[in-house]
Amino acid sequence: MLGFCRGRRKFLAASLTLLFVPAVTWIYLFTGRFDDGKSVSLSPLDTQPHSPRYAASSQRESLEVRVREVEEENRVLRKKLSLVQSRSSSHRHGNRTKTYSMEEGTGDSESLRAGIVAGNSSECGQQPMVEKCETIHVAIVCAGYNASRDVVTLVKSVLFHRRNPLHFHLIADSIAKQILATLFETWMVPAVRVDFYDADELKSEVSWIPNKHYSGIYGLMKLVLTKTLPASLERVIVLDTDITFATDIAELWAVFHKFKGQQVLGLVENQSDWYLGNLWKNHRPWPALGRGYNTGVILLLLDKLRKMKWEQMWRLTAERELMSMLSTSLADQDIFNAVIKQNPFLVYQLPCFWNVQLSDHTRSEQCYRDVSDLKVIHWNSPKKLRVKNKHVEFFRNLYLTFLEYDGNLLRRELFGCPSETDVNSENLQKQLSELDEDDLCYEFRRERFTVHRTHLYFLHYEYEPAADDTDVTLVAQLSMDRLQMLEAICKHWEGPISLALYLSDAEAQQFLRYAQGSEVLLNRRNVGYHIVYKEGQFYPVNLLRNVAMKHVSTPYMFLSDIDFLPMYGLYESLRKSVVQLDMSNTKKALIIPAFETLRYRLSFPKSKAELLSMLDMGTLFTFRYHVWTKGHAPTNFAKWRTATTPYRVEWEADFEPYVVVRRNCPEYDRRFVGFGWNKVSHIMELDAQEYEFTVLPNAYMIHMPHAPSFDITKFRSNKQYRICLKTLKEEFQQDMSRRYGFTALKYLTAENNS
């Protein structure tokens, strides 16, 4: 309380100083000396050396110097004052019955925000405030895999600073919609709504405009937002995907209140010389007002634009200009500028710190005195993070901060703002509330209901299954410590692969750099990488397998693990087996016999004969021969040595082979996490559904050695872990009995006899 009072005294003192000092100084300047009451003449005669008023003139000049000094002191005072205001408002935060977005938030950005407020105190002080629970609408055009990744970073920067409910309007192609819909659904951020609009349906609206810009046809779709977005939506902030926010987006939303007359577009002046037409010989840009405007950040008054017949306005302008220009060079930006050139009254010019454009030839450094002044950074160069700017390291670090920021920390409620009922969230809360927190296995049970953020197709994916319906996808999951296996698997398996990677946000970026730096991975477009972000204390192995399985596009899948290398040519061999064993009309699970080596360097056997020789020499072993023979003993390796045709085997307790099955097979049971019974339970379910287990006589896979995982170490060292696993097994078997009735009794019997 004492500190709060002192803060208020400092605030009052600073305020009085700020008001009193310049007032007294200017009175003195314009009224002359206080003692005689004579005003200071501004006549040129006063500057003559022999003028009777020369002394007064000299005095005026000295006063002007002093005024400039005082103004500089006031600038410093204003900066300090804004910081005091920021601190005092945070003290008062809890006592207000009605608060506003400028003074309340859920982000961790107080120190960053204080610097921004200080650098723009005059601007912020004049801005109308946004109601605390007012929804801010944001529109983004997004298409493809890379743009989807960029959107995530943009959204993180907005969520980090935000204090208001948000409604994202995403104009997306089918790829981006699949990725972002899954991401937002699993992210479950309170007070955030997302709607999608089919970008492919809008292509006909703009496809008649030739465009040379790298954004392609999607770079023109901002022009049709008045038609695309709901008629009830009156205003929206439109953002490029390569934007990073350094402040609360509510400050930008508040600028709408400054629009006057027929102003319907809020834009920042273009910071390059592009529209001045002097970048190279014969450079001929589209018409623009002065330097033109950049469309990376736009405020759109949709209701007024519709009344002005915006659609007709931009179309007529584009048709006229294309007669001479033939195509656009900067996509929608060229057409926006051509319209503004004819109708300058449409624009409210935003301060340029709302769109600091980072490119090699921009005047971006004139937008701020200090980097703390920044509000929005726009990486609008095709080179992105490699642009030249004296502060580029600061910008890059800010961008990387959001890139690697743990998105789970952004799942925060906006206190005092009623949010829409979310069915998934309600169901989750109900399920969690039914768990007994005093149960010693509570953490295991809770893991089953944990919703992990999931980013599908983190890298570009391009694959069409073979037309003969025999195609097979290898399915596996991994964490960062198994990343080195990826290149080896890609060399052994040429077919499609679906991988679920369990990573933190920072590790996801490390993986991205690794994949982009690997010639092997870079040349493979048929590998789907699905990031499941870390949360909780257990490795969700079966959830990861289910994510990878769900996004298989081929009729069949090979359920493997990341630390196994399939034999060379297995992909083509399996496709032949699918036909030979009539898998399309029968329920079969094809078993790939599993072996292992204890050597980190192995000359991989190129044939079954070579593998048998290595078995005899002790270079290879049947998988888990030394520690868990039950897991693969039913494969009958003795019979496999001489087999030349596929043979059937029966299910036995604890059987966990690696199999090829149809895509519509049962999922893995999510209750099993970490180490133990995760594959066993799945094979049991396949058997309960009457899958026939068939061993392939000329197929094999080899487990490569690695350090033990954290989960297996915990299983071996923690008695409670093993007790809980036994409890979960019993509950699973009871569930099997309920689902499959009499058929499932054999699993209880087999378990008791094992």
Side-chain angles (χ1 to χ4, degrees), residues 98 173 188 192 196 228 239 253 261 327 358 367 379 391 396 431 448 512 526 531 570 615 641 662 699:
K98 184 177 182 181
D173 67 347
M188 298 179 71
V192 170
F196 289 91
T228 307
L239 302 173
W253 186 257
S327 69
L358 295 180
C367 288
W379 303 91
H391 295 120
R396 188 181 291 117
Q431 290 167 334
R448 185 178 184 179
L512 179 61
N526 62 349
I531 307 294
L570 181 61
L615 271 175
R641 292 180 71 102
R662 291 193 302 213

Side-chain angles (χ1 to χ4, degrees), residues 507-679:
E507 287 173 340
Q509 297 309 311
Q510 293 174 34
F511 160 69
L512 179 61
R513 291 191 290 271
Y514 172 80
Q516 291 175 337
S518 165
E519 189 174 337
V520 173
L521 302 185
L522 209 57
N523 291 330
R524 289 290 294 269
R525 295 298 182 93
N526 62 349
V527 181
Y529 300 98
H530 313 298
I531 307 294
V532 176
Y533 287 101
K534 285 184 176 180
E535 186 172 0
Q537 58 176 304
F538 297 105
Y539 184 77
V541 57
N542 279 357
L543 166 67
L544 296 172
R545 288 184 172 127
N546 290 340
V547 169
M549 285 170 54
K550 188 176 180 180
H551 297 96
V552 166
S553 57
T554 58
Y556 304 97
M557 50 191 181
F558 169 29
L559 305 179
S560 183
D561 272 336
I562 199 67
D563 42 13
F564 277 88
L565 291 181
M567 73 177 200
Y568 290 110
L570 181 61
Y571 171 61
E572 289 299 332
S573 175
L574 290 179
R575 291 182 62 180
K576 292 176 183 176
S577 297
V578 162
V579 176
Q580 292 169 356
L581 296 170
D582 192 24
M583 283 192 67
S584 61
N585 297 310
T586 57
K587 291 177 75 171
K588 285 189 174 71
L590 308 185
I591 295 174
I592 314 301
F595 301 86
E596 69 178 344
T597 179
L598 304 180
R599 301 182 180 186
Y600 282 87
R601 292 189 177 183
L602 176 74
S603 177
F604 200 90
K606 295 180 177 58
S607 65
K608 179 177 178 178
E610 191 176 337
L611 180 139
L612 291 174
S613 176
M614 294 173 76
L615 271 175
D616 293 336
M617 290 189 297
T619 307
L620 290 178
F621 306 91
T622 56
F623 186 53
R624 291 289 183 259
Y625 171 77
H626 300 90
V627 293
W628 185 248
T629 54
K630 295 170 64 176
H632 292 265
T635 300
N636 195 345
F637 289 99
K639 183 173 183 177
W640 183 82
R641 292 180 71 102
T642 57
T644 56
T645 58
Y647 59 92
R648 183 174 178 178
V649 296
E650 297 297 326
W651 175 89
E652 294 180 23
D654 299 316
F655 193 26
E656 52 177 1
Y658 293 95
V659 296
V660 177
V661 289
R662 291 193 302 213
R663 186 175 60 193
N664 62 351
C665 83
E667 288 190 338
Y668 287 82
D669 195 292
R670 276 198 62 185
R671 83 186 77 198
F672 297 105
V673 294
F675 178 80
W677 248 63
N678 45 74
K679 289 193 300 292

